[in-house]
């Protein structure tokens, strides 16, 4: 059993609602929120699609890893991580040292409904359909699940309800199952 202590890293597939849950949770537990995508965009003064196009995905992934160095120097935060953040095992190792990882899950269909009108996710541009989302999700899920200390199925839940569930573990000091 692990307790939800230190930074709380919210991970999961694009469009699962990490940012909305982070907003609610940071209010509830009175911890500042960091959104890794927004952080990188602000630092580079470029949008995520521009970074992918002009600098390449590899560069973006390096920026993601560098954020951890910065976060490790801060008091506990609620960190909403881009969907590929934990695909780097070194990131996971560092995240485990400084906090706990909460995986948010949803079906490919509900993810599709949330992302279908957006063009700000380079990996989905040109691949905006349930089949592709399901394929990429299946590839990533074993890594997501292995990294996670707590897993929440968010289908049918509001961001506030998801945040409440995380808060229950966080505030009570209850151990999480994994
Ligand atoms: C990505 C997810 C995006 C963003 C980038 C790459 C991914 O973040 O970091 O487009 O590889 O899954 P969200 O999960 O917040 O959409």
């Amino acid at each position: 059993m692990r307790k939800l202590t230190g930074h709380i890293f919210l991970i999961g597939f694009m469009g699962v609602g990490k940012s909305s849950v982070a907003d609610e949770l940071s209010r509830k537990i009175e911890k500042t929120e960091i959104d890794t995508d927004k952080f990188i965009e602000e630092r580079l003064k470029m949008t995520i699609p521009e970074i992918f196009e002009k600098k390449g995905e590899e560069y973006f992934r390096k920026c993601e890893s560098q954020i951890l160095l910065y976060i490790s120097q801060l008091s506990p935060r609620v960190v909403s991580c881009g969907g590929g953040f934990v695909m780097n095992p070194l990131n996971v190792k560092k995240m485990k040292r400084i906090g706990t990882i909460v995986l948010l899950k949803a079906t490919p269909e509900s993810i599709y409904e949330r992302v279908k009108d957006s063009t700000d996710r380079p990996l989905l541009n040109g691949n905006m359909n349930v089949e592709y989302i399901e394929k990429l999700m299946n590839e990533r899920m074993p890594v997501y699940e292995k990294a996670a200390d707590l897993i929440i199925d968010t289908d049918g839940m509001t961001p506030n309800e998801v945040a409440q569930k995380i808060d229950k573990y966080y505030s009570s000091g209850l151990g999480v199952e994994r």
Side-chain angles (χ1 to χ4, degrees):
M1 292 276 245
R2 269 196 103 195
K3 289 189 176 165
L4 286 192
T5 52
H7 300 285
I8 298 185
F9 294 100
L10 300 180
I11 67 162
F13 202 79
M14 292 172 263
V16 75
K18 289 162 289 182
S19 303
S20 320
V21 172
D23 285 350
E24 298 285 348
L25 183 62
S26 63
R27 245 195 312 276
K28 272 187 208 310
I29 64 174
E30 296 177 353
K31 304 244 174 291
T32 313
E33 173 189 350
I34 297 180
D35 181 307
T36 61
D37 285 343
K38 280 193 201 140
F39 188 89
I40 294 171
E41 288 185 324
E42 278 162 21
R43 279 282 161 101
L44 298 183
K45 300 197 170 49
M46 284 169 140
T47 64
I48 301 286
E50 281 169 351
I51 299 167
F52 269 67
E53 198 198 315
K54 299 199 172 109
K55 304 257 183 193
E57 181 173 350
E58 205 177 311
Y59 179 84
F60 174 73
R61 299 302 174 195
K62 280 195 188 128
C63 296
E64 286 189 316
S65 299
Q66 278 166 9
I67 295 179
L68 278 174
L69 213 66
Y70 167 74
I71 294 176
S72 66
Q73 292 158 11
L74 304 173
S75 60
R77 301 283 200 267
V78 175
V79 187
S80 170
C81 301
F85 204 90
V86 290
M87 298 312 291
N88 178 340
L90 283 180
N91 288 353
V92 177
K93 217 168 152 187
K94 286 181 195 152
M95 289 157 85
K96 293 248 178 220
R97 264 208 304 266
I98 59 174
T100 22
I101 301 179
V102 179
L103 168 62
L104 307 185
K105 284 172 87 166
T107 61
E109 289 75 14
S110 38
I111 296 280
Y112 174 72
E113 283 308 313
R114 296 181 63 119
V115 300
K116 66 179 181 202
D117 297 322
S118 136
T119 53
D120 58 11
R121 293 183 176 91
L123 297 184
L124 294 182
N125 290 343
N127 294 310
M128 194 56 89
N129 55 71
V130 176
E131 291 70 31
Y132 182 79
I133 290 172
E134 185 165 19
K135 180 177 163 285
L136 186 57
M137 194 187 279
N138 286 341
E139 281 168 23
R140 287 183 168 187
M141 203 45 78
V143 178
Y144 287 169
E145 288 184 343
K146 187 160 180 270
D149 297 301
L150 175 67
I151 299 178
I152 301 180
D153 268 309
T154 66
D155 276 316
M157 289 172 86
T158 63
N160 185 41
E161 286 165 344
V162 178
Q164 233 160 28
K165 198 161 178 181
I166 299 169
D167 181 28
K168 194 185 84 187
Y169 287 101
Y170 191 83
S171 300
S172 66
L174 274 175
V176 288
E177 297 91 355
R178 330 180 75 240

